CSV table of all heavy atoms in Angstrom, one decimal:
chain,number,residue,atom,x,y,z
R,3,LYS,N,-19.2,40.0,-17.5
R,3,LYS,CA,-19.1,38.9,-16.6
R,3,LYS,C,-18.6,37.6,-17.4
R,3,LYS,O,-17.5,37.0,-16.9
R,3,LYS,CB,-20.5,38.5,-16.0
R,3,LYS,CG,-20.3,37.8,-14.8
R,3,LYS,CD,-21.8,37.7,-14.2
R,3,LYS,CE,-21.9,36.4,-13.5
R,3,LYS,NZ,-23.2,36.1,-13.2
R,14,LEU,N,-6.3,29.9,-15.6
R,14,LEU,CA,-6.3,28.6,-14.9
R,14,LEU,C,-5.6,27.4,-15.7
R,14,LEU,O,-4.7,26.9,-15.3
R,14,LEU,CB,-7.7,28.1,-14.5
R,14,LEU,CG,-8.1,28.4,-13.0
R,14,LEU,CD1,-9.5,28.0,-12.7
R,14,LEU,CD2,-7.1,27.6,-12.0
R,30,LYS,N,12.8,15.3,-16.5
R,30,LYS,CA,13.7,15.1,-17.7
R,30,LYS,C,15.1,15.8,-17.3
R,30,LYS,O,16.1,15.3,-17.9
R,30,LYS,CB,13.0,15.8,-18.9
R,30,LYS,CG,12.1,14.9,-19.5
R,30,LYS,CD,11.3,15.4,-20.7
R,30,LYS,CE,10.1,14.7,-20.9
R,30,LYS,NZ,9.3,15.4,-21.9
R,56,ASN,N,18.8,7.0,-13.1
R,56,ASN,CA,18.2,8.3,-13.6
R,56,ASN,C,17.3,9.1,-12.7
R,56,ASN,O,17.0,8.6,-11.5
R,56,ASN,CB,17.5,8.1,-15.0
R,56,ASN,CG,16.1,7.4,-14.9
R,56,ASN,OD1,15.5,7.2,-13.8
R,56,ASN,ND2,15.6,7.1,-15.9
R,59,GLY,N,14.6,7.1,-10.8
R,59,GLY,CA,15.1,6.0,-10.0
R,59,GLY,C,15.3,4.6,-10.7
R,59,GLY,O,15.5,3.5,-10.2
R,105,ALA,N,23.8,-9.6,-23.7
R,105,ALA,CA,25.3,-9.5,-24.4
R,105,ALA,C,25.2,-8.7,-25.6
R,105,ALA,O,24.3,-8.8,-26.5
R,105,ALA,CB,26.0,-10.8,-24.7
R,143,GLY,N,32.8,-14.9,-29.5
R,143,GLY,CA,32.3,-13.9,-30.0
R,143,GLY,C,32.5,-12.6,-29.2
R,143,GLY,O,33.1,-12.7,-28.2
R,161,ALA,N,27.6,8.9,-20.1
R,161,ALA,CA,27.4,7.7,-21.0
R,161,ALA,C,28.6,6.8,-20.9
R,161,ALA,O,29.6,7.1,-20.5
R,161,ALA,CB,27.3,8.2,-22.5
R,163,GLU,N,31.2,4.3,-22.8
R,163,GLU,CA,31.8,4.1,-24.1
R,163,GLU,C,32.5,2.8,-24.0
R,163,GLU,O,33.6,2.7,-23.2
R,163,GLU,CB,32.6,5.0,-24.6
R,163,GLU,CG,33.1,4.9,-25.9
R,163,GLU,CD,34.2,6.1,-26.4
R,163,GLU,OE1,33.7,7.1,-26.9
R,163,GLU,OE2,35.3,5.8,-26.3
R,168,SER,N,38.9,-6.4,-33.2
R,168,SER,CA,38.8,-7.9,-33.7
R,168,SER,C,39.9,-8.0,-34.8
R,168,SER,O,39.6,-7.4,-35.9
R,168,SER,CB,37.4,-8.1,-34.1
R,168,SER,OG,37.3,-9.4,-34.8
R,180,THR,N,37.6,-2.3,-35.7
R,180,THR,CA,37.4,-1.6,-34.4
R,180,THR,C,35.9,-1.3,-34.3
R,180,THR,O,35.2,-0.9,-35.1
R,180,THR,CB,38.2,-0.4,-34.3
R,180,THR,OG1,37.8,0.4,-35.5
R,180,THR,CG2,39.8,-0.6,-34.4
R,226,LEU,N,4.2,-15.5,-21.7
R,226,LEU,CA,3.0,-15.7,-22.8
R,226,LEU,C,1.8,-14.7,-22.7
R,226,LEU,O,1.2,-14.5,-23.7
R,226,LEU,CB,2.5,-17.1,-22.5
R,226,LEU,CG,3.6,-18.3,-22.7
R,226,LEU,CD1,3.0,-19.6,-22.7
R,226,LEU,CD2,4.2,-18.2,-24.1
R,235,GLY,N,5.3,-5.6,-41.7
R,235,GLY,CA,4.2,-6.4,-42.5
R,235,GLY,C,4.7,-7.6,-43.0
R,235,GLY,O,4.1,-8.3,-43.6
R,237,PHE,N,8.0,-10.9,-42.8
R,237,PHE,CA,9.0,-11.6,-42.1
R,237,PHE,C,9.8,-12.4,-43.0
R,237,PHE,O,9.5,-12.7,-44.2
R,237,PHE,CB,8.5,-12.4,-40.8
R,237,PHE,CG,7.8,-13.7,-41.3
R,237,PHE,CD1,8.5,-14.9,-40.9
R,237,PHE,CD2,6.6,-13.7,-42.0
R,237,PHE,CE1,7.8,-16.2,-41.4
R,237,PHE,CE2,6.0,-15.0,-42.3
R,237,PHE,CZ,6.7,-16.1,-42.0
R,250,LEU,N,10.6,-12.6,-48.5
R,250,LEU,CA,10.2,-11.7,-47.6
R,250,LEU,C,8.6,-11.8,-47.6
R,250,LEU,O,7.9,-11.5,-48.6
R,250,LEU,CB,10.4,-10.2,-47.9
R,250,LEU,CG,11.8,-9.8,-48.3
R,250,LEU,CD1,12.1,-8.4,-48.5
R,250,LEU,CD2,12.8,-10.2,-47.1
R,260,PHE,N,1.9,-9.5,-36.0
R,260,PHE,CA,1.8,-8.6,-34.8
R,260,PHE,C,1.5,-7.2,-35.0
R,260,PHE,O,1.8,-6.4,-34.3
R,260,PHE,CB,3.1,-8.8,-33.9
R,260,PHE,CG,3.1,-10.2,-33.2
R,260,PHE,CD1,3.8,-11.2,-33.7
R,260,PHE,CD2,2.5,-10.2,-32.0
R,260,PHE,CE1,3.9,-12.5,-33.1
R,260,PHE,CE2,2.4,-11.5,-31.2
R,260,PHE,CZ,3.3,-12.6,-31.8
R,287,TRP,N,11.8,-10.3,-38.2
R,287,TRP,CA,10.7,-9.5,-38.8
R,287,TRP,C,11.3,-8.3,-39.7
R,287,TRP,O,12.2,-7.8,-39.3
R,287,TRP,CB,9.8,-9.0,-37.8
R,287,TRP,CG,8.6,-9.8,-37.4
R,287,TRP,CD1,7.2,-9.7,-37.8
R,287,TRP,CD2,8.5,-11.0,-36.6
R,287,TRP,NE1,6.4,-10.5,-37.2
R,287,TRP,CE2,7.2,-11.5,-36.5
R,287,TRP,CE3,9.5,-11.7,-35.9
R,287,TRP,CZ2,6.9,-12.6,-35.9
R,287,TRP,CZ3,9.2,-12.9,-35.2
R,287,TRP,CH2,7.9,-13.3,-35.2
R,298,LEU,N,10.0,3.9,-34.4
R,298,LEU,CA,9.4,2.9,-33.5
R,298,LEU,C,9.3,1.6,-34.3
R,298,LEU,O,8.9,1.6,-35.5
R,298,LEU,CB,8.0,3.3,-33.0
R,298,LEU,CG,7.2,2.4,-32.1
R,298,LEU,CD1,7.8,2.4,-30.7
R,298,LEU,CD2,5.7,2.9,-32.2
R,300,GLY,N,8.3,-1.4,-32.4
R,300,GLY,CA,7.2,-2.1,-31.9
R,300,GLY,C,7.1,-1.8,-30.4
R,300,GLY,O,7.9,-1.0,-29.8
R,357,PRO,N,24.8,-12.3,-45.8
R,357,PRO,CA,25.9,-12.2,-46.9
R,357,PRO,C,25.6,-13.3,-47.8
R,357,PRO,O,26.2,-13.3,-49.0
R,357,PRO,CB,27.1,-12.8,-45.8
R,357,PRO,CG,26.8,-12.5,-44.5
R,357,PRO,CD,25.2,-12.4,-44.4
Side-chain angles (χ1 to χ4, degrees):
K3 197 172 155 196
L14 259 175
K30 283 177 194 166
N56 74 6
E163 181 183 283
S168 171
T180 51
L226 300 180
F237 75 108
L250 306 184
F260 283 96
W287 270 256
L298 181 70

